[in-house]
Amino acid sequence: AGPIGIVAALRQELSGLLALMHDGQPVHIGNREFWVGELDGSQVVVVLSRVGKVAAAATAAVLAAHFGARAIVYTGVAGALAPQVAIGDVVVSTEFLQHDVDASPLFPRWEIPLTGITRFKADAKLAKALAASARTLLANPSFLVGDTVLHAFGLTAPRVHTGLIISGDRFVSTEAESTALRSALPDALAVEMEGAAVAQVCHEWSIPFAAVRIISDRADDAAGVDFPRFITEVESRYSVAIIRRWLSH
Ligand code: ADE
């Protein structure tokens, strides 16, 4: 079996894992650096996809075709959509949808043309294991980031949610846009810019896939301020801890 692919969009989202992988030299393919190695007893390939659906899909295709990845996990941040989801919470995918795909009237809105699919399923076992690992860690969040940071972000009791994550090539940064997404897709927990694209590639390659996203902002008028603040001060420590705990169990 091949390695586990671990992917994020931004360096801040993966810096902790990359720091653990930097012993060797990366493999350069298609303008990406693939860091191959062992992490907590598992063979992994860690890679920065860069931002957006095309960047993420291109990266996933290399993980599938070149590295023969046996599973892929996407990690990073997302904007909250559902009212019960707060900044600092963790969202683990059970399914993915590309909210900016619309080939109607030829195909139903959101359906990926010629696949018949609107919602790509995450791998149930993978999602369950990631959620369990996140729940254990969030039971004591100050262990991860310290009380000062927790208070600065108002992260009193972060929670883990599982459900629909939606992706599109837009950073959602107005209340009007997030309200529109919420009413069009009421069960969407969070929005980001890569997951559903990787889910489509993994579906085509029959590779188990799931995503774990920490909520950095509310996809509203404050998102442009909340997002950079969160990824600098909190994000990497959360995702590294969740991924490592998952790998070691
Ligand atoms: N990732 C994190 N926050 C986001 C937002 N508001 N929109 C899209 N992707 C995001």
Side-chain angles (χ1 to χ4, degrees):
I4 296 169
I6 301 173
V7 195
L10 297 171
R11 190 158 288 277
Q12 293 96 320
E13 295 176 318
L14 214 55
S15 55
L17 285 176
L18 281 172
L20 302 170
M21 302 288 304
H22 272 189
D23 299 349
Q25 288 296 308
V27 180
H28 291 262
I29 302 171
N31 210 20
R32 301 289 187 280
E33 292 181 350
F34 295 85
W35 297 88
V36 182
E38 196 184 292
L39 193 60
D40 299 319
S42 296
Q43 279 301 119
V44 298
V45 181
V46 175
V47 58
L48 290 173
S49 67
R50 307 209 305 264
V51 178
K53 283 165 45 183
V54 173
T59 307
V62 175
L63 284 172
H66 182 86
F67 291 96
R70 70 180 153 94
I72 296 178
V73 171
Y74 211 102
T75 180
V77 295
L81 286 178
Q84 74 273 23
V85 180
I87 293 179
D89 286 2
V90 171
V91 174
V92 177
S93 59
T94 55
E95 49 182 6
F96 297 92
L97 174 148
Q98 295 175 34
H99 68 77
D100 56 353
V101 166
D102 187 354
S104 62
L106 306 180
F107 299 91
R109 188 176 180 192
W110 302 309
E111 184 173 304
I112 306 301
L114 309 180
T115 67
I117 297 173
T118 300
R119 294 176 178 226
F120 292 95
K121 300 264 178 269
D123 181 76
K125 255 181 75 182
L126 200 48
K128 208 174 152 199
L130 287 166
S133 147
R135 275 195 194 96
T136 308
L137 287 160
L138 287 198
N140 184 8
S142 65
F143 162 76
L144 290 177
V145 289
D147 286 328
T148 319
V149 174
L150 286 178
H151 284 129
F153 284 87
L155 310 180
T156 45
R159 296 197 298 155
V160 180
H161 310 266
T162 56
L164 173 67
I165 293 178
I166 64 174
S167 313
D169 281 323
R170 303 181 54 80
F171 182 74
V172 180
S173 57
T174 64
E175 184 64 45
E177 194 174 350
S178 54
T179 300
L181 287 172
R182 240 187 319 273
S183 47
L185 294 159
D187 64 331
L189 296 178
V191 60
E192 34 86 314
M193 303 177 69
E194 296 87 16
V198 176
Q200 183 178 341
V201 174
C202 287
H203 169 77
E204 289 174 348
W205 286 82
S206 301
I207 297 173
F209 174 62
V212 47
R213 293 282 194 170
I214 330 293
I215 299 301
S216 58
D217 61 89
R218 293 218 46 89
D220 58 7
D221 300 332
V225 177
D226 290 340
F227 172 90
R229 216 176 137 227
F230 192 90
I231 61 167
T232 323
E233 294 185 44
V234 185
E235 152 55 18
S236 167
R237 283 172 279 191
Y238 265 79
S239 51
V240 169
I242 294 170
I243 297 281
R244 294 196 71 182
R245 191 185 163 83
W246 164 66
L247 283 175
S248 61
H249 278 71

